[in-house]
Amino acid sequence: MQRHFLSINDLSKKEILQIFNLAKRVKKNPTIYSSKLKNKTMAMIFEKPSLRTRVSFEVGMTELGGHAIYLGPNDIQMGVRETPMDIARNLERMVDIVMARVFEHQKLIDLSVDTKIPVINALSDIEHPCQAMADFLTILEHKKSFKKLKITYIGDCNNNVTRSLYYLSQKLDVNFVMAGPEGYKLGLGTELMSPFEAIKNADCGITDTWVSMGLESEKKKRLKVFPKYQINKKLMSLAKKDAIFMHCLPAYRGYEVTDEVIDGKQSVVFDEAENRLHVQ
Ligand code: CP
Ligand code: NVA
């Protein structure tokens, strides 16, 4: 059966660690791998905007000797011009792999259910597994090991990024703590605490936008409840002295994070962005 990467849970712990090792090797010496994907083509389906995901996948294919084709929202109009299943049945005749960024996770399932080529989740409403992989690779590079770490996420605890980070921390037995307003819980039995309690002695503080793509109509409501969960200098000062700050980007400065923190010495957000390329 064809395997896909729609969720962190599609990988075993062993595979995740193997991917981190390979990513580090590719990062160090990319030329060794420059013909690994010779004559291979990736179709990249985007229903939403992107900077990092599009560029990292496309550059990644180029660096490995392959090619990527960008299919934007107006190109194929998934579900309007054609069903995801019919799109996959066409693509599998022409390309070797598909990645898709979609509004509804179900579209990824429909794309992948009956196709002979792998489908990668490049962000859905439910998960952003490539982001979580890049985040943990970044943590590993900065902290050397996951042992005894406390990783804290503050903000919208019920979004794609949080869910993938949570699954990955479960896989790797990492202590992952979250804090956010009532009504924005992951619903997986995870505890919500005050942001101060959550960040205390943390090795890593992470946040993400309070208004994910597709939720723009909730912006006004969300901006009322989230400000208590902003990662600012005061909150970050409760973490360990050598704690790092992470954000998948794009960042809404002055909302979920202040300039001082994201531009400060503890911030590793651009290492994190770069690692999207290597880990993917
Ligand atoms: N972090 C991330 O996925 O960025 P883009 O939305 O720009 O791809
Ligand atoms: N949670 C954010 C991540 C952006 C990369 C969103 O879905 O918009």
Side-chain angles (χ1 to χ4, degrees):
M1 215 170 96
Q2 180 57 58
R3 290 188 73 190
H4 303 286
F5 184 46
L6 306 190
S7 166
I8 285 293
N9 291 324
D10 291 328
L11 297 176
S12 67
K13 177 176 181 176
K14 192 174 160 202
E15 288 169 328
I16 290 166
L17 297 175
Q18 280 170 346
I19 291 171
F20 290 151
N21 282 332
L22 179 58
K24 285 194 216 164
R25 291 205 301 276
V26 178
K27 184 172 181 175
K28 209 166 162 191
N29 215 337
T31 49
I32 296 178
Y33 302 88
S34 62
S35 49
K36 281 280 174 203
L37 295 184
K38 194 166 171 231
N39 295 330
K40 302 282 185 204
T41 303
M42 168 182 269
M44 307 193 299
I45 300 173
F46 281 93
E47 291 192 325
K48 302 178 184 179
S50 168
L51 170 67
R52 284 145 291 271
T53 304
R54 188 214 166 150
V55 175
S56 58
F57 269 108
E58 194 163 334
V59 170
M61 285 303 291
T62 305
E63 286 191 356
L64 297 175
H67 178 64
I69 301 173
Y70 173 76
L71 299 165
N74 292 325
D75 292 324
I76 57 175
Q77 295 172 38
M78 191 156 46
V80 179
R81 283 187 83 224
E82 262 166 300
T83 64
M85 281 167 88
D86 279 350
I87 288 171
R89 286 187 191 121
N90 281 268
L91 287 176
E92 71 184 9
R93 303 292 181 108
M94 302 171 206
V95 306
D96 303 280
I97 188 164
V98 175
M99 60 122 281
R101 167 168 285 195
V102 298
F103 282 101
E104 301 94 16
H105 193 81
Q106 185 60 41
K107 283 193 184 146
L108 289 173
I109 295 172
D110 293 347
L111 267 176
S112 63
V113 72
D114 191 26
T115 183
K116 298 182 193 71
I117 55 174
V119 177
I120 296 176
N121 178 358
L123 183 149
S124 71
D125 52 341
I126 302 296
E127 273 202 65
H128 196 1
C130 297
Q131 184 66 53
M133 290 294 287
D135 290 1
F136 272 60
L137 175 62
T138 309
I139 294 169
L140 190 58
E141 285 177 342
H142 283 271
K143 297 288 162 196
K144 309 301 172 212
S145 153
F146 295 122
K147 276 196 193 114
K148 295 192 184 151
L149 291 186
K150 178 183 180 185
I151 300 175
T152 298
Y153 177 95
I154 294 178
D156 184 359
C157 298
N158 188 22
N159 76 9
N160 40 20
V161 166
T162 339
R163 194 169 286 101
S164 292
L165 286 172
Y166 169 75
Y167 289 147
L168 191 47
S169 64
Q170 294 289 102
K171 287 257 172 197
L172 301 177
D173 303 312
V174 174
N175 179 17
F176 181 64
V177 174
M178 291 186 273
E182 264 317 307
Y184 300 90
K185 289 187 189 188
L186 202 49
L188 292 170
T190 48
E191 209 181 353
L192 282 196
M193 302 183 229
S194 86
F196 305 103
E197 193 57 35
I199 197 87
K200 211 164 145 189
N201 291 323
D203 298 279
C204 176
I206 312 181
T207 189
D208 183 16
T209 179
W210 295 336
V211 189
S212 284
M213 292 180 277
L215 298 177
E216 290 77 8
S217 64
E218 296 180 18
K219 187 171 174 182
K220 218 170 139 189
K221 188 176 93 184
R222 285 171 171 258
L223 292 192
K224 279 195 192 133
V225 293
F226 277 101
K228 241 176 54 188
Y229 297 87
Q230 179 189 69
I231 301 198
N232 49 40
K233 206 173 158 189
K234 190 176 152 207
L235 199 64
M236 205 60 202
S237 73
L238 301 174
K240 284 193 185 144
K241 272 209 169 61
D242 64 349
I244 52 174
F245 168 77
M246 294 175 59
H247 190 309
C248 64
L249 306 177
Y252 296 87
R253 291 161 174 264
Y255 292 92
E256 73 270 11
V257 62
T258 55
D259 285 338
E260 271 186 315
V261 170
I262 199 167
D263 296 330
K265 277 202 277 226
Q266 288 167 288
S267 175
V268 298
V269 297
F270 300 111
D271 293 343
E272 182 183 358
E274 184 193 328
N275 278 337
R276 291 290 303 278
L277 170 67
H278 309 302
V279 89
Q280 285 159 198

